[in-house]
Amino acid sequence: MDYVSALVPPVVMAVFFIGVVRVIVKTQGGAAKAKEDAAVDAALARVEGAREASAAGDA
């Protein structure tokens, strides 16, 4: 029975890892991709705007 207790943790981790990879692959693209891209672009623009305002204030 020691071999069962030795194999359970790696098997559980492998199943969990496969599940995570499947979720990542399934959520790529599709209808949500445009919304996610827009959110990232807005966040980057906000950071860039803050950086430019900071640089203008220092000059």
Side-chain angles (χ1 to χ4, degrees), residues 16-44:
F16 179 74
F17 180 74
I18 291 169
V20 168
V21 170
R22 288 187 68 206
V23 167
I24 290 171
V25 169
K26 282 186 174 187
T27 58
Q28 297 300 311
K33 185 176 183 345
K35 186 168 64 171
E36 292 170 357
D37 288 346
V40 170
D41 289 341
L44 290 175

